[in-house]
Amino acid sequence: MQDLNLSRIGKKPIPIPKGVTVQVGPDAIDVQGPKGKLRQKLPPGIVFTQEDGTLVAKLQREDGELRKFHGLARSLVANAVNGVAEGFKKELDIVGIGYRAELKGKQVHFALGYSHPIVFDIPGGIDIVIDKQTHITVTGADRQVVGQVAANIRQMRRPDPYKQKGVRYTGEVLKKKVGKTGA
């Protein structure tokens, strides 16, 4: 009966790739690999065990309140293992005449149509590569930090619905609105 109430995602074992070491603690999991080192805290009531090259998430006791964290904990640890093994990547495009980005040391200088340049400090553990001044690639081991840095860069000049200018994710489809004359 207990198996029916567990999360489908939480029941999946996490394969540990070659070159990745996992240290299971009582309240956190330390993962180290070629791309870096991450520490993932665990919600209370979730325990991980290492079984022949895989990690398995289990509930300490059958409790309705703890069950909701089963799939979450497994996903967070799987992201940490995948991050130190392969890393995560987000790509952004800058669209607009005169809009560009330039890498200077540990800072990115943006010209996004404002009267002043915007200086963005690159956080630790994140690498930013700029191609042709208009294509930005954000990479790192921590999925949450990579996504947050990409969102912060996009927030500097969100895409305009009328002229489609601004910073957007690569492949993002925007809804174009018609102006006053087209209505």
Side-chain angles (χ1 to χ4, degrees):
M1 185 70 182
Q2 177 203 15
D3 205 32
L4 296 174
N5 294 327
L6 292 179
S7 163
R8 283 182 296 181
I9 293 172
K11 286 192 286 188
K12 284 183 175 177
I14 303 167
I16 301 172
K18 288 195 182 337
V20 175
T21 58
V22 177
Q23 208 83 57
V24 180
D27 62 338
I29 290 186
D30 293 317
V31 187
Q32 191 167 0
K35 298 281 183 181
K37 182 178 181 179
L38 290 176
R39 179 178 180 83
Q40 182 60 54
K41 288 191 175 275
L42 298 176
I46 306 294
V47 177
F48 277 84
T49 57
Q50 239 176 323
E51 299 171 4
D52 46 277
T54 61
L55 277 173
V56 180
K58 295 181 179 166
L59 292 170
Q60 270 183 328
R61 61 187 181 279
E62 185 58 36
D63 186 359
E65 287 298 308
L66 298 178
R67 258 195 353 236
K68 62 186 174 188
F69 294 119
H70 190 219
L72 169 75
R74 188 253 179 223
S75 293
L76 292 174
V77 172
N79 284 341
V81 170
N82 193 13
V84 298
E86 298 167 20
F88 290 100
K89 174 171 83 167
K90 284 273 190 185
E91 295 184 12
L92 299 116
D93 289 321
I94 302 174
V95 177
I97 295 172
Y99 290 15
R100 62 183 172 276
E102 187 181 0
L103 198 61
K104 291 183 181 174
K106 292 296 275 173
Q107 294 180 329
V108 181
H109 292 258
F110 289 95
L112 297 174
Y114 298 115
S115 62
H116 60 286
I118 300 170
V119 178
F120 181 78
D121 294 320
I122 302 172
I126 297 292
D127 292 325
I128 293 182
V129 177
I130 299 174
D131 299 328
K132 300 179 190 167
Q133 296 184 330
T134 59
H135 186 77
I136 303 167
T137 306
V138 181
T139 56
D142 192 342
R143 183 176 187 170
Q144 294 170 353
V145 176
V146 169
Q148 188 61 54
V149 168
N152 291 347
I153 291 173
R154 183 180 184 270
Q155 195 68 32
M156 291 178 192
R157 179 69 116 182
R158 289 207 308 271
D160 175 39
Y162 299 102
K163 293 187 175 181
Q164 309 277 306
K165 297 181 349 181
V167 181
R168 66 175 82 163
Y169 296 115
T170 300
E172 180 180 7
V173 177
L174 301 172
K175 240 184 183 177
K176 185 166 177 133
K177 291 185 177 180
V178 293
K180 287 191 291 190
T181 57

